Amino acid sequence: MKIDFHCHTTASDGALSPEQLVQRAGDRGIELLSITDHDSVNAYQQLSTLPKGLRLIPGIELSCQWQKRGIHIVGLNIDPDSDAMAEATSTQAKARALRAEIIAEKLAKYGVENPLEGALAHSDGGAIGRPHFARHMVNTGFVSNESEAFKKFLGSGKTCDIKVCWPNPEQAINWIVNAGGVAVLAHPGKYNMTRSKLVSFLEDFTRWGGAAMEVVSGRQIPSQTTEFSKLCRQFSLMASWGSDFHSPAQTWLDLGSYSTPPDDVTPVWNHWQ
Ligand code: AMP
Ligand code: MN
Ligand code: MN
Ligand code: MN
């Protein structure tokens, strides 16, 4: 079964429209796909037809905050038209708008020209986020590439990395569960957490109803995969995996391509086939 349970479209910070994304997934032989835009399910409202052989599992990637860290929780097999998702996406849209104003104010002080207008133009009606600010900073010549914008201003722990607006994981999990979905901890390797911090997070996460974890996210080292699959078993979590694909310009990563998943875990999609 060729699957990908984590990717983005223009409804958040991805480069492809929902239509283009499912086309690419179909061309790449993916059979089961979840589009997991940041805090948005708009991609699902924009899609009319699917390529032959492709099945879509509705998803979302919710931003939240735990012990002052930004954490992402993916919701899989949610009902995008549920009241819970309507509440989640409208709450998160307000948080993103407020956060964008705070980020813009800070960037303006550093000398970035019209940061809010610029980022909004790049987000083009989708969920506005840090990559849209980074693109504006590249376009106006303030930095030479997006990676520099993250390294100096927007990345984890930098002055424009604003997390105060996000809800706690319990809220995010409740929205997902009330929308009929499964709450999945996204890319556990990307939070700079020690093993004991991650264990402490998973204690809270499972107590609040989190049921799965991404054991593979894009390209990662085999020792991480082994560690995450162990933690899955320890906490009786199901396992998910995906590319976290954003753009064809990331030539090293494509839809349906990621490091080899482990075979000693329970796949989250077992009962959706
Ligand atoms: P936000 O949703 O506004 O918090 O932005 C988070 C997004 O920024 C992630 O999903 C990535 O797409 C992108 N991102 C995070 N860190 C980096 C980085 N160091 N370089 C480029 N993009 C990044
Ligand atoms: Mn992103
Ligand atoms: Mn993420
Ligand atoms: Mn993502």
Side-chain angles (χ1 to χ4, degrees), residues 8 13 38-39 61 63 72 96 99 128-131 146-147 150-151 155 166 244 246:
H8 297 269
D13 56 3
H38 297 286
D39 303 305
E61 181 174 17
S63 307
H72 288 174
R96 276 191 179 269
R99 173 182 181 252
I128 187 168
R130 285 176 284 166
E146 289 181 30
S147 154
F150 273 91
K151 224 173 262 168
W166 301 133
D244 207 356
H246 280 73

PDB file of all heavy atoms in Angstrom, residues 8 13 38-39 61 63 72 96 99 128-131 146-147 150-151 155 166 244 246, ligand 1:
ATOM      1  N   HIS A   8       1.238  19.272   2.338  1.00  0.00           N
ATOM      2  CA  HIS A   8       0.636  20.613   2.372  1.00  0.00           C
ATOM      3  C   HIS A   8       0.309  21.151   0.983  1.00  0.00           C
ATOM      4  O   HIS A   8       0.978  20.815   0.006  1.00  0.00           O
ATOM      5  CB  HIS A   8       1.589  21.578   3.069  1.00  0.00           C
ATOM      6  CG  HIS A   8       1.843  21.209   4.499  1.00  0.00           C
ATOM      7  ND1 HIS A   8       1.084  21.691   5.536  1.00  0.00           N
ATOM      8  CD2 HIS A   8       2.735  20.355   5.057  1.00  0.00           C
ATOM      9  CE1 HIS A   8       1.512  21.167   6.677  1.00  0.00           C
ATOM     10  NE2 HIS A   8       2.515  20.341   6.408  1.00  0.00           N
ATOM     11  N   ASP A  13       0.964  26.391   3.669  1.00  0.00           N
ATOM     12  CA  ASP A  13       2.244  26.886   3.147  1.00  0.00           C
ATOM     13  C   ASP A  13       2.834  26.012   2.049  1.00  0.00           C
ATOM     14  O   ASP A  13       4.027  26.069   1.782  1.00  0.00           O
ATOM     15  CB  ASP A  13       3.253  27.077   4.295  1.00  0.00           C
ATOM     16  CG  ASP A  13       3.458  25.815   5.114  1.00  0.00           C
ATOM     17  OD1 ASP A  13       2.856  24.776   4.767  1.00  0.00           O
ATOM     18  OD2 ASP A  13       4.216  25.858   6.094  1.00  0.00           O
ATOM     19  N   HIS A  38      -1.710  23.179   7.535  1.00  0.00           N
ATOM     20  CA  HIS A  38      -1.642  23.811   8.849  1.00  0.00           C
ATOM     21  C   HIS A  38      -2.972  24.492   9.172  1.00  0.00           C
ATOM     22  O   HIS A  38      -3.367  25.452   8.498  1.00  0.00           O
ATOM     23  CB  HIS A  38      -0.540  24.872   8.885  1.00  0.00           C
ATOM     24  CG  HIS A  38       0.840  24.337   8.666  1.00  0.00           C
ATOM     25  ND1 HIS A  38       1.514  23.621   9.622  1.00  0.00           N
ATOM     26  CD2 HIS A  38       1.685  24.422   7.610  1.00  0.00           C
ATOM     27  CE1 HIS A  38       2.718  23.303   9.172  1.00  0.00           C
ATOM     28  NE2 HIS A  38       2.845  23.767   7.939  1.00  0.00           N
ATOM     29  N   ASP A  39      -3.661  23.982  10.188  1.00  0.00           N
ATOM     30  CA  ASP A  39      -4.851  24.635  10.744  1.00  0.00           C
ATOM     31  C   ASP A  39      -5.940  24.937   9.715  1.00  0.00           C
ATOM     32  O   ASP A  39      -6.713  25.881   9.893  1.00  0.00           O
ATOM     33  CB  ASP A  39      -4.443  25.929  11.480  1.00  0.00           C
ATOM     34  CG  ASP A  39      -3.427  25.648  12.576  1.00  0.00           C
ATOM     35  OD1 ASP A  39      -3.717  24.796  13.439  1.00  0.00           O
ATOM     36  OD2 ASP A  39      -2.332  26.245  12.567  1.00  0.00           O
ATOM     37  N   GLU A  61      -3.208  19.584  10.198  1.00  0.00           N
ATOM     38  CA  GLU A  61      -2.078  19.654  11.142  1.00  0.00           C
ATOM     39  C   GLU A  61      -2.305  20.866  12.035  1.00  0.00           C
ATOM     40  O   GLU A  61      -2.258  22.003  11.561  1.00  0.00           O
ATOM     41  CB  GLU A  61      -0.736  19.782  10.392  1.00  0.00           C
ATOM     42  CG  GLU A  61       0.466  19.835  11.344  1.00  0.00           C
ATOM     43  CD  GLU A  61       1.827  19.821  10.623  1.00  0.00           C
ATOM     44  OE1 GLU A  61       1.883  20.088   9.411  1.00  0.00           O
ATOM     45  OE2 GLU A  61       2.836  19.537  11.296  1.00  0.00           O
ATOM     46  N   SER A  63      -1.525  23.472  15.098  1.00  0.00           N
ATOM     47  CA  SER A  63      -0.424  24.040  15.879  1.00  0.00           C
ATOM     48  C   SER A  63      -0.873  24.161  17.326  1.00  0.00           C
ATOM     49  O   SER A  63      -1.974  24.634  17.595  1.00  0.00           O
ATOM     50  CB  SER A  63      -0.091  25.439  15.370  1.00  0.00           C
ATOM     51  OG  SER A  63       0.145  25.417  13.989  1.00  0.00           O
ATOM     52  N   HIS A  72       3.157  20.149  16.861  1.00  0.00           N
ATOM     53  CA  HIS A  72       2.156  19.941  15.809  1.00  0.00           C
ATOM     54  C   HIS A  72       1.439  18.617  16.010  1.00  0.00           C
ATOM     55  O   HIS A  72       2.081  17.583  16.180  1.00  0.00           O
ATOM     56  CB  HIS A  72       2.822  19.977  14.430  1.00  0.00           C
ATOM     57  CG  HIS A  72       3.244  21.363  14.034  1.00  0.00           C
ATOM     58  ND1 HIS A  72       3.966  21.633  12.896  1.00  0.00           N
ATOM     59  CD2 HIS A  72       3.005  22.567  14.632  1.00  0.00           C
ATOM     60  CE1 HIS A  72       4.166  22.945  12.807  1.00  0.00           C
ATOM     61  NE2 HIS A  72       3.601  23.524  13.848  1.00  0.00           N
ATOM     62  N   ARG A  96      -3.724  32.739  14.105  1.00  0.00           N
ATOM     63  CA  ARG A  96      -2.723  33.010  13.057  1.00  0.00           C
ATOM     64  C   ARG A  96      -2.713  34.477  12.655  1.00  0.00           C
ATOM     65  O   ARG A  96      -1.646  35.050  12.414  1.00  0.00           O
ATOM     66  CB  ARG A  96      -2.977  32.134  11.827  1.00  0.00           C
ATOM     67  CG  ARG A  96      -2.370  30.766  11.959  1.00  0.00           C
ATOM     68  CD  ARG A  96      -2.366  29.962  10.692  1.00  0.00           C
ATOM     69  NE  ARG A  96      -1.734  28.685  11.000  1.00  0.00           N
ATOM     70  CZ  ARG A  96      -0.431  28.447  10.883  1.00  0.00           C
ATOM     71  NH1 ARG A  96       0.384  29.354  10.402  1.00  0.00           N
ATOM     72  NH2 ARG A  96       0.058  27.272  11.232  1.00  0.00           N
ATOM     73  N   ARG A  99      -1.081  36.415  15.495  1.00  0.00           N
ATOM     74  CA  ARG A  99       0.350  36.093  15.509  1.00  0.00           C
ATOM     75  C   ARG A  99       1.075  36.779  14.350  1.00  0.00           C
ATOM     76  O   ARG A  99       2.181  37.286  14.511  1.00  0.00           O
ATOM     77  CB  ARG A  99       0.476  34.567  15.407  1.00  0.00           C
ATOM     78  CG  ARG A  99       1.871  34.019  15.230  1.00  0.00           C
ATOM     79  CD  ARG A  99       1.667  32.523  15.119  1.00  0.00           C
ATOM     80  NE  ARG A  99       2.860  31.749  14.960  1.00  0.00           N
ATOM     81  CZ  ARG A  99       3.219  31.137  13.836  1.00  0.00           C
ATOM     82  NH1 ARG A  99       2.488  31.278  12.740  1.00  0.00           N
ATOM     83  NH2 ARG A  99       4.297  30.393  13.806  1.00  0.00           N
ATOM     84  N   ILE A 128      -1.999  31.895   6.999  1.00  0.00           N
ATOM     85  CA  ILE A 128      -0.728  32.638   6.967  1.00  0.00           C
ATOM     86  C   ILE A 128       0.249  32.088   8.008  1.00  0.00           C
ATOM     87  O   ILE A 128      -0.131  31.787   9.142  1.00  0.00           O
ATOM     88  CB  ILE A 128      -0.963  34.161   7.155  1.00  0.00           C
ATOM     89  CG1 ILE A 128       0.344  34.928   6.952  1.00  0.00           C
ATOM     90  CG2 ILE A 128      -1.595  34.472   8.518  1.00  0.00           C
ATOM     91  CD1 ILE A 128       0.161  36.428   6.834  1.00  0.00           C
ATOM     92  N   GLY A 129       1.502  31.928   7.591  1.00  0.00           N
ATOM     93  CA  GLY A 129       2.500  31.360   8.498  1.00  0.00           C
ATOM     94  C   GLY A 129       3.879  31.922   8.256  1.00  0.00           C
ATOM     95  O   GLY A 129       4.087  32.763   7.358  1.00  0.00           O
ATOM     96  N   ARG A 130       4.832  31.449   9.026  1.00  0.00           N
ATOM     97  CA  ARG A 130       6.197  31.960   8.942  1.00  0.00           C
ATOM     98  C   ARG A 130       6.812  31.831   7.541  1.00  0.00           C
ATOM     99  O   ARG A 130       7.551  32.720   7.095  1.00  0.00           O
ATOM    100  CB  ARG A 130       7.071  31.268   9.995  1.00  0.00           C
ATOM    101  CG  ARG A 130       6.795  31.789  11.387  1.00  0.00           C
ATOM    102  CD  ARG A 130       7.589  31.025  12.420  1.00  0.00           C
ATOM    103  NE  ARG A 130       7.020  29.711  12.684  1.00  0.00           N
ATOM    104  CZ  ARG A 130       7.644  28.737  13.333  1.00  0.00           C
ATOM    105  NH1 ARG A 130       8.883  28.936  13.757  1.00  0.00           N
ATOM    106  NH2 ARG A 130       7.041  27.586  13.551  1.00  0.00           N
ATOM    107  N   PRO A 131       6.538  30.732   6.794  1.00  0.00           N
ATOM    108  CA  PRO A 131       7.138  30.643   5.452  1.00  0.00           C
ATOM    109  C   PRO A 131       6.729  31.798   4.546  1.00  0.00           C
ATOM    110  O   PRO A 131       7.500  32.211   3.674  1.00  0.00           O
ATOM    111  CB  PRO A 131       6.604  29.307   4.919  1.00  0.00           C
ATOM    112  CG  PRO A 131       6.310  28.510   6.142  1.00  0.00           C
ATOM    113  CD  PRO A 131       5.820  29.502   7.153  1.00  0.00           C
ATOM    114  N   GLU A 146      15.134  31.527   2.166  1.00  0.00           N
ATOM    115  CA  GLU A 146      14.182  31.312   3.257  1.00  0.00           C
ATOM    116  C   GLU A 146      14.861  30.720   4.484  1.00  0.00           C
ATOM    117  O   GLU A 146      14.521  31.050   5.620  1.00  0.00           O
ATOM    118  CB  GLU A 146      13.043  30.386   2.788  1.00  0.00           C
ATOM    119  CG  GLU A 146      12.125  31.070   1.797  1.00  0.00           C
ATOM    120  CD  GLU A 146      10.965  30.191   1.334  1.00  0.00           C
ATOM    121  OE1 GLU A 146      10.513  29.334   2.128  1.00  0.00           O
ATOM    122  OE2 GLU A 146      10.527  30.364   0.185  1.00  0.00           O
ATOM    123  N   SER A 147      15.824  29.878   4.219  1.00  0.00           N
ATOM    124  CA  SER A 147      16.506  29.231   5.329  1.00  0.00           C
ATOM    125  C   SER A 147      17.215  30.267   6.213  1.00  0.00           C
ATOM    126  O   SER A 147      17.220  30.158   7.451  1.00  0.00           O
ATOM    127  CB  SER A 147      17.432  28.178   4.739  1.00  0.00           C
ATOM    128  OG  SER A 147      18.488  27.931   5.564  1.00  0.00           O
ATOM    129  N   PHE A 150      14.721  31.926   8.514  1.00  0.00           N
ATOM    130  CA  PHE A 150      14.408  31.085   9.680  1.00  0.00           C
ATOM    131  C   PHE A 150      15.574  31.084  10.663  1.00  0.00           C
ATOM    132  O   PHE A 150      15.369  31.199  11.865  1.00  0.00           O
ATOM    133  CB  PHE A 150      14.053  29.667   9.237  1.00  0.00           C
ATOM    134  CG  PHE A 150      12.591  29.512   8.899  1.00  0.00           C
ATOM    135  CD1 PHE A 150      12.136  29.706   7.599  1.00  0.00           C
ATOM    136  CD2 PHE A 150      11.671  29.202   9.883  1.00  0.00           C
ATOM    137  CE1 PHE A 150      10.789  29.588   7.288  1.00  0.00           C
ATOM    138  CE2 PHE A 150      10.317  29.078   9.599  1.00  0.00           C
ATOM    139  CZ  PHE A 150       9.882  29.274   8.295  1.00  0.00           C
ATOM    140  N   LYS A 151      16.772  30.968  10.124  1.00  0.00           N
ATOM    141  CA  LYS A 151      17.956  30.883  10.988  1.00  0.00           C
ATOM    142  C   LYS A 151      18.110  32.152  11.833  1.00  0.00           C
ATOM    143  O   LYS A 151      18.458  32.088  13.000  1.00  0.00           O
ATOM    144  CB  LYS A 151      19.205  30.674  10.114  1.00  0.00           C
ATOM    145  CG  LYS A 151      20.151  29.616  10.675  1.00  0.00           C
ATOM    146  CD  LYS A 151      21.273  29.314   9.700  1.00  0.00           C
ATOM    147  CE  LYS A 151      20.958  28.060   8.881  1.00  0.00           C
ATOM    148  NZ  LYS A 151      21.873  27.907   7.735  1.00  0.00           N
ATOM    149  N   GLY A 155      12.945  31.099  12.999  1.00  0.00           N
ATOM    150  CA  GLY A 155      13.089  29.710  13.439  1.00  0.00           C
ATOM    151  C   GLY A 155      12.906  29.527  14.934  1.00  0.00           C
ATOM    152  O   GLY A 155      12.790  30.500  15.694  1.00  0.00           O
ATOM    153  N   TRP A 166      -1.103  29.869  20.417  1.00  0.00           N
ATOM    154  CA  TRP A 166      -1.611  28.520  20.178  1.00  0.00           C
ATOM    155  C   TRP A 166      -2.274  27.896  21.412  1.00  0.00           C
ATOM    156  O   TRP A 166      -1.850  28.132  22.540  1.00  0.00           O
ATOM    157  CB  TRP A 166      -0.486  27.587  19.717  1.00  0.00           C
ATOM    158  CG  TRP A 166       0.226  28.002  18.454  1.00  0.00           C
ATOM    159  CD1 TRP A 166       1.568  28.039  18.252  1.00  0.00           C
ATOM    160  CD2 TRP A 166      -0.366  28.424  17.217  1.00  0.00           C
ATOM    161  NE1 TRP A 166       1.851  28.455  16.981  1.00  0.00           N
ATOM    162  CE2 TRP A 166       0.694  28.702  16.326  1.00  0.00           C
ATOM    163  CE3 TRP A 166      -1.682  28.597  16.781  1.00  0.00           C
ATOM    164  CZ2 TRP A 166       0.465  29.140  15.013  1.00  0.00           C
ATOM    165  CZ3 TRP A 166      -1.896  29.050  15.478  1.00  0.00           C
ATOM    166  CH2 TRP A 166      -0.842  29.308  14.616  1.00  0.00           C
ATOM    167  N   ASP A 244       5.679  15.015   4.642  1.00  0.00           N
ATOM    168  CA  ASP A 244       5.635  16.447   4.998  1.00  0.00           C
ATOM    169  C   ASP A 244       6.039  17.273   3.775  1.00  0.00           C
ATOM    170  O   ASP A 244       6.707  18.302   3.885  1.00  0.00           O
ATOM    171  CB  ASP A 244       6.526  16.767   6.210  1.00  0.00           C
ATOM    172  CG  ASP A 244       6.020  18.000   6.980  1.00  0.00           C
ATOM    173  OD1 ASP A 244       5.041  18.625   6.539  1.00  0.00           O
ATOM    174  OD2 ASP A 244       6.625  18.329   8.023  1.00  0.00           O
ATOM    175  N   HIS A 246       6.037  19.858   0.878  1.00  0.00           N
ATOM    176  CA  HIS A 246       5.526  21.218   0.720  1.00  0.00           C
ATOM    177  C   HIS A 246       5.601  21.707  -0.728  1.00  0.00           C
ATOM    178  O   HIS A 246       4.739  22.466  -1.158  1.00  0.00           O
ATOM    179  CB  HIS A 246       6.307  22.209   1.589  1.00  0.00           C
ATOM    180  CG  HIS A 246       5.905  22.231   3.034  1.00  0.00           C
ATOM    181  ND1 HIS A 246       6.231  21.222   3.914  1.00  0.00           N
ATOM    182  CD2 HIS A 246       5.208  23.138   3.761  1.00  0.00           C
ATOM    183  CE1 HIS A 246       5.751  21.522   5.117  1.00  0.00           C
ATOM    184  NE2 HIS A 246       5.125  22.672   5.051  1.00  0.00           N
TER     185      HIS A 246
HETATM  186  P1  AMP B   1       4.073  28.176  11.101  1.00  0.00           P
HETATM  187  O1  AMP B   1       2.951  27.275  10.650  1.00  0.00           O
HETATM  188  O2  AMP B   1       3.825  29.607  10.785  1.00  0.00           O
HETATM  189  O3  AMP B   1       4.462  27.960  12.536  1.00  0.00           O
HETATM  190  O4  AMP B   1       5.338  27.774  10.227  1.00  0.00           O
HETATM  191  C1  AMP B   1       5.851  26.478  10.324  1.00  0.00           C
HETATM  192  C2  AMP B   1       6.331  26.016   8.971  1.00  0.00           C
HETATM  193  O5  AMP B   1       7.514  26.714   8.627  1.00  0.00           O
HETATM  194  C3  AMP B   1       6.721  24.557   8.920  1.00  0.00           C
HETATM  195  O6  AMP B   1       5.612  23.746   8.685  1.00  0.00           O
HETATM  196  C4  AMP B   1       7.671  24.535   7.745  1.00  0.00           C
HETATM  197  O7  AMP B   1       6.928  24.471   6.553  1.00  0.00           O
HETATM  198  C5  AMP B   1       8.348  25.891   7.823  1.00  0.00           C
HETATM  199  N1  AMP B   1       9.664  25.848   8.469  1.00  0.00           N
HETATM  200  C6  AMP B   1       9.931  25.615   9.760  1.00  0.00           C
HETATM  201  N2  AMP B   1      11.255  25.678  10.013  1.00  0.00           N
HETATM  202  C7  AMP B   1      11.841  25.980   8.835  1.00  0.00           C
HETATM  203  C8  AMP B   1      13.195  26.211   8.416  1.00  0.00           C
HETATM  204  N3  AMP B   1      14.203  26.148   9.287  1.00  0.00           N
HETATM  205  N4  AMP B   1      13.424  26.483   7.112  1.00  0.00           N
HETATM  206  C9  AMP B   1      12.398  26.552   6.231  1.00  0.00           C
HETATM  207  N5  AMP B   1      11.108  26.361   6.563  1.00  0.00           N
HETATM  208  C10 AMP B   1      10.830  26.076   7.840  1.00  0.00           C
END
